[in-house]
Amino acid sequence: MDNEAKWYVAHTYSGYENKVKDGIEAAVESRGMQEIIEEVVVPMYEVEETKGGQRKLVMKKVFPGYVLVKMIMTDESWYVVRNTRGVTGFVGPASKPVPLTQQELRSLGIKEKMAGFDIKVGESVKVLSGPFEGFVGTVEEINIEKRKIKANISMFGRETPVELEYAQVVKV
């Protein structure tokens, strides 16, 4: 078996994504498998909704019915994820789950070495993607939970604050 952690996609019952994430994380904790199953993610995005005249920000799932799992594929890790309540299987042929490719990870906004985010407030970053691609800015704020930063970029001769995801920036 390959001993490098890769991202796999687990299919779940719709609406069970967060329960599956919690279930996998609990199994990892109780079995001491932190080195094998590194991360479980339910990709979310923020959208503004208006209900009854009230506007509010709501988190929506990017892929309802799916959970991303970064793990080293072993018989034990396959078993733990596959037998978590709410999981119906992995994406790929039943006998061999298929890891996501680098290109698929980039399109999802996942950088392969995201764990060691080493950018600090006050440092300069270059924007790699999105509408501000190519701009350089100074980090003003880091939101670890949302995996986003706020940076001031120089646009049209003035400092403009922008919010960017970790995957969109690299330290200069």
Side-chain angles (χ1 to χ4, degrees), residues 1-2 8 24 27-28 31 33 35-38 69-84 90 97:
M1 295 274 179
D2 193 359
Y8 294 88
I24 294 170
V28 166
R31 292 171 179 243
M33 296 177 65
E35 274 80 53
I36 298 171
I37 301 177
E38 295 180 6
V69 183
K70 185 177 185 181
M71 65 183 199
I72 298 169
M73 185 56 74
T74 65
D75 290 343
E76 188 183 11
S77 65
W78 180 89
Y79 180 85
V80 166
V81 175
R82 180 69 186 86
N83 289 295
T84 299
F90 281 98

Side-chain angles (χ1 to χ4, degrees), residues 2-105:
D2 193 359
N3 63 357
E4 183 185 331
K6 292 188 170 76
W7 286 95
Y8 294 88
V9 181
H11 189 268
T12 69
Y13 294 125
S14 191
Y16 277 71
E17 300 87 356
N18 291 322
K19 289 182 184 96
V20 165
K21 177 182 188 299
D22 295 342
I24 294 170
E25 288 171 346
V28 166
E29 194 67 35
S30 69
R31 292 171 179 243
M33 296 177 65
Q34 291 85 347
E35 274 80 53
I36 298 171
I37 301 177
E38 295 180 6
E39 197 174 346
V40 184
V41 178
V42 178
M44 305 283 269
Y45 67 96
E46 212 171 45
V47 66
E48 195 173 286
E49 282 187 353
T50 306
K51 270 191 182 166
Q54 298 282 11
R55 287 180 5 169
K56 63 179 184 175
L57 292 175
V58 180
M59 295 303 287
K60 297 260 189 187
K61 293 175 184 77
V62 177
F63 306 110
Y66 296 94
V67 174
L68 302 179
V69 183
K70 185 177 185 181
M71 65 183 199
I72 298 169
M73 185 56 74
T74 65
D75 290 343
E76 188 183 11
S77 65
W78 180 89
Y79 180 85
V80 166
V81 175
R82 180 69 186 86
N83 289 295
T84 299
R85 181 185 295 256
V87 173
T88 59
F90 281 98
V91 171
S95 59
K96 187 172 190 322
V98 179
L100 293 171
T101 64
Q102 288 295 332
Q103 185 177 348
E104 289 167 331
L105 290 171

